Amino acid sequence: MRWVKFACLALPLLLSGFCSAQQIQSKPTKSSGSPPHFRWVNPFPEGKFPGLVHATFDSERVQEKIGYCIYLPPGYDEARNDDLRYPVVYYLHGGRPGNETKSIALTTSIDTAIRNRAVPAMIYVFVNGGAVSHYNYPQNDSPAEDILIHELIPHIDATYRTIAGREGRGLEGFSQGGRATARIGFAYPNVFCSAASGGGGHATEKRIAENDGRENATLRFQPGANSWDRARSYAASPHPPVDWLFYVGSKGFNYSNNLQYMEYLQSLDIPFRRMIVSDVHHSARLIYQQQAVAILNFHADNFGFSGPRRKPSARTKQKTTVVQSVVDRVERDIHYAQVGERSLSLDLYIPPVVEVAPSLVVWIHGGGWRGGSKKGCPVRWLTSHNYAVASLDFRLSDEARFPAQVHDCKGAIRWLRANAERFGCDGRRIAVIGGSSGGHLAALVGTTNGVRTLEGNVGGNLGHSSRVQAIVDMYGMTDLFYNATVESTRCDLPDCPLYQLLGGKPSQHLQEAKAASPVFHVSFDDPPLLILHGTEDYSLVRPYQGRFLFDSYARARLDVEFHLIKGAGHGGPAYADESQTSTILRLLERTIRDRANSRLPRSTPDSPR
């Protein structure tokens, strides 16, 4: 992906862009039919929420100023970061009319997650949805959807250091905003790469679809401008892929109609993820208190490598190894296994110019075993070095408990070996790379060759081996037994990813925790291992988790490197800088790169242990 130079704006423009609503009061919308208290600019509680400011822009469509609130993550204003660009999530409030300040309390959870390095840094923009909850409604001089797409987003990209493309934009909303997220996201897949619809009133949208745009006796919208018709149009036409999440509280009044809408999306073969938050009512704040990290990481998975990007210096431009080919061949959604009704698939990225069959690298995504996706593969740059990259989906912890996840990954590796020649790849030598929970699974796949209970039979191809020849574990957990015992107070909570992976309190599932720990599987024949971890990782996966696995490898006198990255957190651009990518390439070069005088025998299953 190209790194874009940020052009500094003139000081007067910056100052004018940050005028607060207390300084500029807008008039109510012009039509007498507007809700009486709606304003385009609203009072803002200065200093109440960390990182949050209020600003306005001049709208040509309504000929007045429109307010928005914007959360800027820690470090955004520091001089050392003035060449960083950040991904943006546009958040659509609930309520009718609502305004740009309605949902800003969520920034408390957002800021905590980012400061704790549980998620990468990103910007959140809280949108003013107009008089009629994000609809285009010209009767009330409120073209809110057009203002978002054609005015607010260009303004944000021009005023702040954003990743100004769909690969750096997410959309999200709750209640009325959840409806709008589906409605707008399905209409503009070229604008957003991720969309999270929370607690939307999709039954009302269905009524609009069935009644020629009428919501009730007084409100009529443009026919087709609803979440049902737009989903059908989305399914029927080619478009860039959008990763969808639908979440709802199990006690929310929109719970049942969200389930109905999800069934409708399934009938259209639109892939999406679902999140049911148990025992929570219709409240974005309560859902974020429990699931903010999972929701933010859902967006981050689609923003490429963990969020902000740094513009390389002139010196780095000459030496950097992260060069993304724009013409590599991509085979998406390749089916590799069927487990019950669940189809498992992978995306395969193949080098653009192939002189010899490229060796395979398997990428396993993160997300706390309960989120994430094969989309947005952050090691796709390896295709520029003649490696093919397979990015896997696997069953998440809300679908199946451990060891389903490692069974799926091993099944995918066997499938790749069995089918490598179909795609012009060399399946004899395979490396596995993962980040966060994907790093854990990569290490577990690599250290459990021949362990029958963790091999499984997902996808068949049992005549082929799931053994890998190299492992890269980036900030992954390696000793779950430690967390289940020493850190049981934290890990025994139902919202802990480890609790969900093991199917209950880790302190009561110690055998499963041990079986899921790479440190307990290290043996004399395990492949070379590279561990990358940040010194400032304050998530559930502290840097000592990398040390645990390094020590186990060292005691077995195995090939291992452990790189502590100074100042890095749980993910982030430091893991993709020249030093780390060069280290990864060196490992791959000496472990899986084909050599004329070094031939492996045909892949066969490993002896059980």
Side-chain angles (χ1 to χ4, degrees), residues 279-399:
D279 299 321
V280 172
H281 292 275
H282 188 73
S283 168
R285 180 179 57 83
L286 294 177
I287 289 175
Y288 254 63
Q289 286 175 358
Q290 289 191 27
Q291 298 294 342
V293 170
I295 294 171
L296 270 68
N297 273 324
F298 158 77
H299 290 296
D301 286 340
N302 292 281
F303 292 151
F305 200 88
S306 300
R309 306 177 191 161
R310 187 175 296 280
K311 168 187 168 290
S313 65
R315 174 177 173 271
T316 305
K317 276 184 178 179
Q318 297 170 1
K319 295 186 176 182
T320 184
T321 58
V322 183
V323 181
Q324 178 54 52
S325 168
V326 296
V327 293
D328 55 2
R329 180 160 62 94
V330 184
E331 301 281 350
R332 295 196 184 276
D333 300 320
I334 303 171
H335 175 85
Y336 73 82
Q338 188 76 30
V339 182
E341 296 183 356
R342 176 71 150 90
S343 174
L344 299 173
S345 62
L346 57 85
D347 293 341
L348 186 60
Y349 302 90
I350 302 171
V353 179
V354 178
E355 296 179 359
V356 295
S359 298
L360 278 162
V361 175
V362 171
W363 167 255
I364 306 177
H365 68 76
W369 305 287
R370 62 190 179 188
S373 164
K374 62 183 173 62
K375 299 177 181 178
C377 176
V379 294
R380 183 176 175 179
W381 56 270
L382 285 167
T383 61
S384 297
H385 300 271
N386 202 41
Y387 294 100
V389 180
S391 182
L392 311 182
D393 265 345
F394 52 87
R395 285 172 290 170
L396 303 177
S397 59
D398 64 349
E399 301 175 79

Side-chain angles (χ1 to χ4, degrees), residues 83-225:
D83 58 349
L84 274 182
R85 285 188 171 275
Y86 294 78
V88 185
V89 175
Y90 289 86
Y91 192 91
L92 311 183
H93 60 73
R96 183 175 287 179
N99 61 61
E100 71 272 25
T101 67
K102 182 174 176 60
S103 302
I104 58 177
L106 300 181
T107 54
T108 300
S109 297
I110 295 167
D111 186 70
T112 299
I114 292 174
R115 288 184 184 276
N116 289 342
R117 274 79 167 187
V119 299
M122 62 187 77
I123 293 170
Y124 258 67
V125 175
F126 295 90
V127 176
N128 187 319
V132 195
S133 55
H134 311 283
Y135 277 99
N136 278 342
Y137 200 65
Q139 296 93 320
N140 283 13
D141 196 17
S142 182
E145 180 179 302
D146 286 348
I147 289 171
L148 167 65
I149 299 298
H150 302 294
E151 293 188 337
L152 177 59
I153 290 176
H155 165 79
I156 295 295
D157 287 340
T159 309
Y160 304 92
R161 300 196 311 276
T162 67
I163 298 172
R166 70 178 301 276
E167 74 276 11
R169 289 197 205 104
L171 184 66
E172 186 180 343
F174 190 80
S175 193
Q176 290 276 2
R179 290 168 56 179
T181 296
R183 199 168 60 239
I184 295 171
F186 282 128
Y188 295 95
N190 60 319
V191 176
F192 306 100
C193 68
S194 64
S197 170
H202 297 292
T204 305
E205 293 283 315
K206 184 180 183 183
R207 185 168 67 247
I208 293 170
E210 294 171 342
N211 289 278
D212 197 31
R214 292 190 182 277
E215 179 173 314
N216 53 44
T218 59
L219 280 177
R220 183 179 183 184
F221 304 105
Q222 180 181 357

Side-chain angles (χ1 to χ4, degrees), residues 117 255 271 273 287 313 330 353 419 423 425 431 445 448 458 478 557:
R117 274 79 167 187
Y255 175 62
R273 304 185 226 177
I287 289 175
S313 65
V330 184
V353 179
N419 293 275
F423 301 96
C425 299
V445 164
T448 56
V458 170
T478 67
R557 298 182 181 275

